[in-house]
Amino acid sequence: MNSQVPPHTLDSINFDELGFDGVRFDNRFLRELPADQETGNFRRQVEGACYSKVLPTPVSNPQLIAYSKEVAELIGLDMTKCDQEKFAQVFSGNQLIEGMDPYSMCYGGHQFGNWAGQLGDGRAINLGEVINEKNEHWCLQLKGAGPTPYSRSADGLAVLRSSVREFLCSEAMYHLGIPTTRALSLVLTGEEVLRDMFYDGNAKHEPGAIVCRVSRSFTRFGSFQIFAARNDEENLKKMVDYTINTDFSHLGKPSVDVYVNWLEEVCRTTAEMVLHWMRVGFVHGVMNTDNMSILGETIDYGPYGWLEGYDHHWTPNTTDASGRRYSFGNQPKIALWNLAQFANALMPLVKETKPLEKALESYSRTFEKGWQKMLSQKLGLDQFQPETDDDLTGELLEVLHLTETDMTLFYRTLAEIKTDLESAIDLSDEEILKPFMHVYYQPEKITPDDHTKISGWIRKYINRIATDKKPDEIRREQMNLVNPKYVLRNYLAQQAIDKAEAGDFSMITELLDVLRNPCDEQPGKEKFAEKRPEWARNKAGCSMLSCSS
Ligand code: AMP
Ligand code: MG
């Protein structure tokens, strides 16, 4: 009576057959947290449980199209010994490895500022937790492996275009030094998935794909909010204590004080994550509380984008075009709003608002200090000196907004200029601006006034650098460590997708390779560092993305 779709069974194969020498699973989340008593795979409200057991839906023709060798290594998988066909069977959900025990997690969330109730892993299925040689737990999760009890009105699947984007961006972020969930593999399923990309009645079939994501934990702010919203204090406490005992054990045994310290730590790590986003020009696009990792990792790569022209109001997400809640410049503020919702979820356990409010303050403290440090590093300054640098950085952000300025190219170009004071003083405004002309999308639109302001700022910068007495080569080296040359520009991801949809997967691997060393010069790869070509200005996928994925 209770299960409408009988659970299918999957064959298990042995670890060793995949080159997983001596690696084992230890599914703590399953073992220690309450399970949904219902085991049928049908959509429902799941109460009093942190997860539901569910099997991936078998697919017809899995094909491995890309993998990350670093993530394979992290989980103890030797890809040189790996049978790629078997690998594709496992990481498309067709076969389980001994010790895997698939489940989807229950969580809720605030979407665009409103409480949305139960969401949960609607198309994500955890396979289990691997313990690697260093005794670290890594959760493996398939995204797009079929419906789960949390799928609501959707199909549980993912298309190739969004999977390529998730796969590449997860790894690109990692190589940029940004906390993120990882991506082990990208597999085509052989199935077709119907999507109406712009919700305009033009649905079409697209190739289905599955990414295997990897993280120490996929727990989100919403994983706690769901229990608080349901007044389920018992399970809220179980989820909180479990999370502290596993991923925050350095804070000590769970107690009211530890809950508050934990919130403070989550505030700090979240601030650090957003600072990194601001450093490289990343816009997440959907910072709902269900998309905020408790580990302060970037999670759920949907309609994200990278700044081309520097613009605080820019968002790649067409669904958010009117409100711009999740625009580039709003991200720091939204992260704090999300943390406040998370703090609210801890109220039933902490019982007092004061300590929670105090812990929340650590967000702004970390952010403000980090912001100054980040900007001074981007500019190659030894230290942020408020007397001069508040103005210098404030004016910089104004100058970057004057005319469409490619953020990534701007900082790399700034690192190259000569700041030898005597020669700089003799230069005219034209000469000062000349090396920068390629960073502007519409140089013909630079007004004489813009021209004066931009060159005025560069002069100010040169004067400021002189006070540090830092040789230009050293400054350049330092700046180039924090200002990437290669980022996953929106149009590059789209070109890789267009090729992949036509059956050529080479650009995915090529981009992954370039993005492994985003700050290096990489002679011969300069075409991947070029600013967005004009054809991509208003092209779907390059500048406009929807949540349809
Ligand atoms: P997102 O905005 O992608 O974070 O998704 C919000 C919620 O919708 C999450 O619970 C997702 O698991 C769920 N969801 C998104 N896309 C699908 C899909 N194609 N099938 C089932 N659930 C989905
Ligand atoms: Mg999500």
Side-chain angles (χ1 to χ4, degrees):
M1 174 209 116
N2 43 16
S3 51
Q4 289 163 5
V5 183
H8 58 269
T9 48
L10 294 176
D11 296 342
S12 292
I13 56 171
N14 199 288
F15 245 161
D16 304 347
E17 291 180 58
L18 265 189
F20 263 110
D21 255 354
V23 184
R24 64 189 173 91
F25 281 94
D26 176 35
N27 302 322
R28 292 181 303 193
F29 194 89
L30 287 187
R31 196 170 59 234
E32 295 184 26
L33 289 168
D36 180 5
Q37 294 307 302
E38 171 61 70
T39 53
N41 188 1
F42 60 93
R43 290 126 213 255
R44 58 182 174 269
Q45 290 293 306
V46 174
E47 304 220 354
C50 294
Y51 63 88
S52 307
K53 292 264 193 105
V54 58
L55 290 174
T57 301
V59 298
S60 57
N61 187 20
Q63 186 193 347
L64 177 65
I65 57 177
Y67 66 86
S68 157
K69 60 181 189 218
E70 294 86 354
V71 181
E73 211 168 284
L74 187 68
I75 61 169
L77 183 55
D78 184 349
M79 290 306 280
T80 59
K81 290 194 201 147
C82 182
D83 174 335
Q84 296 214 349
E85 243 168 67
K86 278 190 184 146
F87 182 99
Q89 292 291 342
V90 171
F91 293 101
S92 63
N94 272 359
Q95 260 184 337
L96 296 178
I97 296 177
E98 277 168 21
M100 285 180 172
D101 197 356
Y103 63 97
S104 288
M105 293 158 79
C106 180
Y107 51 80
H110 278 88
Q111 295 186 312
F112 294 90
N114 304 306
W115 177 244
Q118 177 182 302
L119 297 166
D121 287 333
R123 55 168 165 177
I125 297 180
N126 291 273
L127 296 173
E129 296 174 53
V130 155
I131 307 190
N132 69 6
E133 276 176 343
K134 292 192 212 145
N135 221 18
E136 296 165 334
H137 277 72
W138 290 98
C139 307
L140 311 183
Q141 182 183 79
L142 301 183
K143 183 166 175 181
T148 77
Y150 308 95
S151 296
R152 298 179 293 150
S153 58
D155 57 10
L157 305 174
V159 292
L160 179 61
R161 81 186 134 79
S162 65
S163 305
V164 169
R165 286 169 51 82
E166 170 124 24
F167 176 79
L168 281 176
C169 203
S170 308
E171 292 307 286
M173 295 290 266
Y174 168 75
H175 292 296
L176 281 164
I178 304 178
T180 176
T181 61
R182 305 293 301 274
L184 169 66
S185 55
L186 172 60
V187 175
L188 267 179
T189 61
E191 310 291 331
E192 299 224 299
V193 176
L194 192 64
R195 283 289 180 273
D196 182 354
M197 189 163 32
F198 285 106
Y199 308 113
D200 59 2
N202 290 312
K204 63 169 194 157
H205 285 288
E206 298 187 44
I210 296 177
V211 170
C212 178
R213 306 198 282 196
V214 176
S215 173
R216 286 185 289 120
S217 159
F218 289 101
T219 297
R220 300 130 192 278
F221 292 2
S223 310
F224 307 96
Q225 287 184 282
I226 187 75
F227 294 115
R230 288 172 166 168
N231 296 317
D232 182 351
E233 199 177 313
E234 184 190 335
N235 286 310
L236 172 65
K237 185 168 184 320
K238 281 187 189 161
M239 187 67 200
V240 165
D241 290 358
Y242 171 81
T243 305
I244 292 174
N245 284 330
T246 50
D247 290 313
F248 296 85
S249 58
H250 54 278
L251 295 175
K253 236 173 96 229
S255 68
V256 170
D257 285 346
V258 168
Y259 298 151
V260 173
N261 293 342
W262 176 48
L263 172 62
E264 198 173 308
E265 180 162 330
V266 176
C267 286
R268 278 202 308 272
T269 53
T270 302
E272 279 155 15
M273 171 188 78
V274 177
L275 280 164
H276 278 295
W277 294 356
M278 304 307 281
R279 165 173 69 89
V280 299
F282 175 78
V283 187
H284 181 284
V286 203
M287 289 176 73
N288 291 334
T289 57
D290 54 304
N291 291 340
M292 298 293 292
S293 140
I294 199 65
L295 301 179
E297 291 183 344
T298 316
I299 190 172
D300 278 9
Y301 291 90
Y304 66 82
W306 295 80
L307 279 194
E308 288 153 349
Y310 190 88
D311 180 3
H312 274 199
H313 302 292
W314 186 71
T315 173
N317 182 358
T318 49
T319 317
D320 191 28
S322 52
R324 300 195 178 257
R325 179 180 173 86
Y326 299 140
S327 63
F328 178 64
N330 260 2
Q331 298 186 119
K333 199 171 77 188
I334 292 293
L336 178 58
W337 191 90
N338 289 342
L339 284 160
Q341 307 316 310
F342 170 54
N344 275 336
L346 300 182
M347 257 309 276
L349 304 183
V350 176
K351 312 245 191 266
E352 282 181 273
T353 49
K354 274 263 151 54
L356 292 172
E357 277 166 9
K358 197 157 169 286
L360 275 174
E361 286 167 15
S362 67
Y363 175 83
S364 305
R365 266 200 315 276
T366 309
F367 191 86
E368 274 152 34
K369 261 196 157 167
W371 176 255
Q372 293 183 342
K373 184 167 173 213
M374 184 259 285
L375 281 178
S376 41
Q377 286 176 336
K378 282 183 82 65
L379 294 176
L381 309 177
D382 275 343
Q383 239 185 354
F384 192 91
Q385 289 168 354
E387 330 69 82
T388 49
D389 301 341
D390 273 333
D391 279 354
L392 185 76
T393 54
E395 283 168 32
L396 169 64
L397 300 189
E398 282 172 34
V399 157
L400 287 172
H401 271 116
L402 285 176
T403 177
E404 206 179 357
T405 311
D406 190 273
M407 172 180 173
T408 306
L409 285 174
F410 178 86
Y411 283 104
R412 290 294 285 209
T413 307
L414 192 65
E416 293 293 329
I417 64 169
K418 289 202 170 55
T419 60
D420 171 78
L421 202 52
E422 268 153 57
S423 61
I425 273 175
D426 294 336
L427 294 177
S428 67
D429 284 1
E430 273 69 29
E431 283 167 322
I432 291 229
L433 215 55
K434 204 164 158 215
F436 287 88
M437 289 320 283
H438 71 293
V439 316
Y440 297 110
Y441 280 94
Q442 296 169 297
E444 69 287 356
K445 290 203 175 155
I446 303 177
T447 65
D449 190 41
D450 296 341
H451 208 281
T452 312
K453 282 185 181 144
I454 302 168
S455 47
W457 184 85
I458 297 170
R459 280 179 201 283
K460 198 166 186 169
Y461 172 72
I462 291 172
N463 285 325
R464 170 64 181 86
I465 289 299
T467 64
D468 278 352
K469 301 196 172 55
K470 187 184 288 181
D472 277 341
E473 304 99 69
I474 308 270
R475 180 179 60 88
R476 185 178 62 230
E477 261 173 42
Q478 291 177 345
M479 287 172 75
N480 285 354
L481 289 176
V482 294
N483 297 317
K485 176 169 176 137
Y486 299 96
V487 294
L488 184 58
R489 290 175 177 273
N490 313 310
Y491 81 91
L492 291 175
Q494 188 56 39
Q495 284 180 322
I497 291 165
D498 290 342
K499 285 192 177 173
E501 287 180 345
D504 171 4
F505 307 113
S506 58
M507 193 172 166
I508 301 173
T509 314
E510 196 179 5
L511 273 179
L512 177 62
D513 252 349
V514 171
L515 295 168
R516 278 203 169 94
N517 300 296
C519 293
D520 293 356
E521 282 299 324
Q522 302 192 51
K525 299 292 177 187
E526 290 83 0
K527 66 174 177 187
F528 296 115
E530 280 167 14
K531 66 177 182 244
R532 178 203 61 221
E534 272 310 301
W535 59 257
R537 179 180 285 276
N538 294 312
K539 188 175 183 297
C542 297
S543 59
M544 298 181 298
L545 291 139
S546 75
C547 287
S548 160
S549 56

